[in-house]
Amino acid sequence: MTSTVLNTADYQPQLDEKAARIQDLLSDFETPELEVFASPAEHYRMRAEFRVWHEGEELYYIMFNQHTREKYRVDQFPAASRLINDLMPMLLDAIKPIKTLRHKLFQVDFLSTLSGEILVSMLYHRQLDDEWTQAAKQLKQRLNDEGFKLNLIGRARKMKIVLDQDFVIEELKVHDKTLTYKQVENSFTQPNGEVAQKMLEWAVDCTRDSAGDLLELYCGNGNFSLALAPNFERVLATELAKPSVDSAQYNIAVNNIENVQIIRMSAEDFTDAMAGKREFRRLKDQNVDLQSYNCNTIFVDPPRSGMDDGTCRMVQGYDNIMYISCNPETLRDNLAILTETHNITRFALFDQFPYTHHMEAGVVLERK
């Protein structure tokens, strides 16, 4: 058996180094004391992708060294959830003797949850047929008989066969509440479930005494929108990716939340709509009257590229700003604009990606 090694003794030093690095990165700004939210030292990743290597009758997972691109065998992956590690060997053992399942299988993707559900996508360099579907159904049944809550997807060029659903239902605890989230294959979800819960709790705490409505840009599947809804009269949220919007609508309904509305728009288009530069039919179609909202607070969770200058200027129009960033360098660039009018009152580091250089940060700003 081959296992990628995590030296858990290195966890705290790497977290301390990140804390020092992000404070140095944002040293040009007046920041309050950094709040640091640690990850579990192992079994923290809810997603994992492995290439599949064929060697005679043998079949095993491989990964590639990021620097040398050399492949190495992986039988266990301590960074991934226990659920993924439990399933990894059983899945391959079940596939090996079945030719139609193993033939030209080149990748397996896992999406797991804290709730116990798991989704497996099997990717092929060939077209899939009825024989594959029947064998995959039997594979799914066999693994569920072993105690897994598993769904399967077969993918090939321009093909996708779903057995029986292409999503998992996650449950995240936010203080004394449990929120339910639909997470769709190949859509963005927070990779570290335990830290995702800490991020939601931090956001709720930061906005607990808020007044008026919340505007959220880049809302994804409504991850933060649902948790923050009780702190505001109404939440108006935007997201461009259709699968994420569909998931957000599902999540609003399943959690019985009545004060959140999701609009499918880019942040840039929404900026134009708020400024009255353009009219958008989709706003009229959804009976969204932007003027009726009393948004004192704006929440942004932009992509790695951060916000463009126009969106930053629009964001400055709100008394309270909460900014979650997966790239502190673009956060620093955006803060150069936002701190012209606002002071940073909360500052947090969330260790979503242990043992890597990646950092997730949160800042709260209030108008000067």
Side-chain angles (χ1 to χ4, degrees):
M1 295 282 283
T2 306
S3 173
T4 54
V5 176
L6 279 185
N7 186 351
T8 55
D10 291 341
Y11 179 73
Q12 191 59 46
Q14 68 90 35
L15 182 57
D16 294 341
E17 186 274 331
K18 284 182 180 176
R21 185 153 45 96
I22 197 167
Q23 289 177 96
D24 182 61
L25 194 62
L26 301 186
S27 60
D28 289 346
F29 308 101
E30 290 186 22
T31 56
E33 183 178 350
L34 180 67
E35 303 166 67
V36 179
F37 295 89
S39 167
E42 59 182 351
H43 301 306
Y44 48 84
R45 274 178 57 167
M46 308 312 291
R47 302 194 303 256
E49 300 176 359
F50 303 99
R51 298 300 289 266
V52 176
W53 197 255
H54 299 251
E55 201 166 271
E57 293 301 307
E58 186 60 32
L59 200 66
Y60 52 86
Y61 304 107
I62 63 167
M63 298 183 77
F64 292 93
N65 183 297
Q66 286 186 326
H67 305 293
T68 66
R69 298 306 297 162
E70 288 183 30
K71 71 176 187 295
Y72 57 95
R73 177 171 174 163
V74 180
D75 294 310
Q76 289 287 276
F77 188 53
S81 68
R82 291 188 185 275
L83 187 52
I84 291 175
N85 280 278
D86 288 345
L87 182 57
M88 284 171 66
M90 296 180 70
L91 179 70
L92 280 196
D93 285 346
I95 289 172
K96 279 179 192 177
I98 304 171
K99 184 177 178 182
T100 189
L101 292 179
R102 63 178 289 159
H103 182 50
K104 296 201 173 181
L105 172 68
F106 74 92
Q107 183 167 316
V108 177
D109 300 346
F110 296 89
L111 172 60
S112 65
T113 59
L114 298 175
S115 69
E117 293 193 11
I118 189 164
L119 181 64
V120 174
S121 300
M122 300 163 61
L123 284 63
Y124 289 84
H125 282 313
R126 68 178 181 89
Q127 294 296 285
L128 306 178
D129 53 19
D130 290 343
E131 184 183 359
W132 180 91
T133 302
Q134 286 306 117
K137 285 180 179 177
Q138 292 170 10
L139 171 67
K140 177 178 182 288
Q141 186 62 54
R142 174 178 168 180
L143 292 169
N144 284 334
D145 288 345
E146 294 284 348
F148 292 98
K149 297 178 183 175
L150 167 78
N151 284 286
L152 271 180
I153 296 174
R155 282 190 172 274
R157 189 170 181 270
K158 297 184 178 179
M159 286 190 78
K160 178 181 176 182
I161 299 174
V162 179
L163 307 172
D164 286 299
Q165 60 191 42
D166 65 350
F167 60 89
V168 290
I169 299 298
E170 176 62 293
E171 292 180 349
L172 299 178
K173 288 185 171 59
V174 183
H175 297 306
D176 58 347
K177 277 183 153 182
T178 298
L179 292 171
T180 299
Y181 292 94
K182 180 181 185 180
Q183 299 182 343
V184 179
E185 182 226 22
N186 282 354
S187 292
F188 176 78
T189 55
Q190 297 287 351
N192 188 322
E194 296 289 347
V195 173
Q197 292 182 145
K198 294 178 181 181
M199 291 172 69
L200 292 174
E201 290 183 342
W202 180 81
V204 168
D205 289 342
C206 288
T207 57
R208 200 172 290 283
D209 298 320
S210 298
D213 302 325
L214 171 68
L215 172 62
E216 182 182 354
L217 307 183
Y218 319 96
C219 75
N221 69 350
N223 184 49
F224 284 97
S225 320
L226 306 188
L228 293 173
N231 287 355
F232 296 90
E233 291 177 25
R234 292 187 294 171
V235 177
L236 179 63
T238 72
E239 170 59 44
L240 186 58
K242 189 175 187 302
S244 293
V245 173
D246 292 343
S247 294
Q249 303 290 14
Y250 174 95
N251 296 338
I252 290 168
V254 77
N255 288 285
N256 299 310
I257 293 175
E258 297 181 350
N259 65 333
V260 175
Q261 180 156 25
I262 308 288
I263 307 167
R264 188 176 171 222
M265 290 183 83
S266 70
E268 293 76 17
D269 282 350
F270 189 81
T271 300
D272 287 348
M274 286 296 287
K277 292 181 181 178
R278 296 168 58 194
E279 285 193 359
F280 291 87
R281 195 175 71 189
R282 72 190 68 175
L283 294 177
K284 289 184 177 180
D285 290 346
Q286 295 184 54
N287 296 315
V288 177
D289 177 10
L290 296 180
Q291 303 309 312
S292 73
Y293 281 85
N294 177 30
C295 295
N296 300 321
T297 304
I298 187 166
F299 181 100
V300 293
D301 185 2
R304 289 189 60 77
S305 56
M307 295 187 293
D308 64 272
D309 285 359
T311 302
C312 279
R313 297 294 177 192
M314 187 272 280
V315 167
Q316 280 181 309
Y318 295 83
D319 292 341
N320 308 298
I321 303 166
M322 181 177 289
Y323 190 139
I324 297 290
S325 169
C326 59
N327 184 352
E329 293 188 0
T330 55
L331 171 63
R332 178 186 58 192
D333 295 340
N334 288 166
L335 286 176
I337 296 175
L338 298 178
T339 54
E340 293 171 0
T341 50
H342 290 68
N343 292 319
I344 301 171
T345 58
R346 298 283 291 266
F347 178 28
L349 169 66
F350 306 100
D351 199 17
Q352 277 271 8
F353 308 96
Y355 313 104
T356 75
H357 73 280
H358 293 294
M359 294 185 287
E360 192 98 0
V363 294
V364 175
L365 301 101
E366 296 179 7
R367 188 178 300 283
K368 293 179 179 178

